[in-house]
Amino acid sequence: MNSAVSLKGARKEVEASTVNGTLTVTGGAFERAKLETVNGRITFDGELLHHATLDVESVGGSVELRLPASTGADVTINTFSGTIRNAWGVEGRRTSHHTNEQELTFTAGSGGATVAIQTLSGDVILTKR
């Protein structure tokens, strides 16, 4: 889709993508979510059930996840030319002296859900609510 996509009130499972536009998902508790964009911002504001999976990919856009402070998840983030801001306190680290590539792997809370975020050119922001 070549425009903005906004899903409100979604829950359980969602798979959404855009080619050139913002992708926003807000809702309840999710078991599985797969979000992709070629060129646009991705915003996810929801809860993850204990064994949920959240996969987010962006070629040219930032990613923001707004999760409850009590979220338990194993998180992996990679960005080739962006920064990582993480409300859980663990900082990303540069993986190369020749590029701005950053990665971050950590466990929020007691773990349980799996979160994987990958961007080529975009910042990643994890916020608590």
Side-chain angles (χ1 to χ4, degrees):
M1 178 167 272
N2 200 22
S3 61
V5 173
S6 182
L7 300 171
K8 295 182 181 180
R11 59 185 174 149
K12 295 283 187 179
E13 289 194 30
V14 66
E15 187 168 333
S17 63
T18 67
V19 173
N20 188 26
T22 301
L23 174 55
T24 304
V25 175
T26 57
F30 289 86
E31 294 174 348
R32 188 182 78 79
K34 183 170 180 68
L35 311 174
E36 299 176 325
T37 184
V38 175
N39 186 32
R41 178 182 183 87
I42 295 175
T43 302
F44 176 88
D45 188 346
E47 296 181 36
L48 300 175
L49 296 173
H50 183 66
H51 292 290
T53 59
L54 172 60
D55 292 311
V56 182
E57 293 183 26
S58 173
V59 175
S62 62
V63 172
E64 182 175 1
L65 299 186
R66 297 178 192 140
L67 300 170
S70 61
T71 297
D74 298 311
V75 180
T76 303
I77 302 169
N78 291 292
T79 179
F80 185 75
S81 67
T83 60
I84 300 171
R85 293 194 313 242
N86 179 15
W88 274 265
V90 182
E91 294 186 20
R93 67 176 185 84
R94 287 186 63 183
T95 60
S96 171
H97 295 292
H98 306 290
T99 68
N100 288 330
E101 185 174 2
Q102 288 190 25
E103 71 177 22
L104 173 61
T105 301
F106 73 100
T107 299
S110 59
T114 301
V115 176
I117 303 168
Q118 186 170 7
T119 71
L120 184 59
S121 177
D123 296 337
V124 177
I125 304 163
L126 301 181
T127 60
K128 294 179 185 180
R129 56 175 172 81

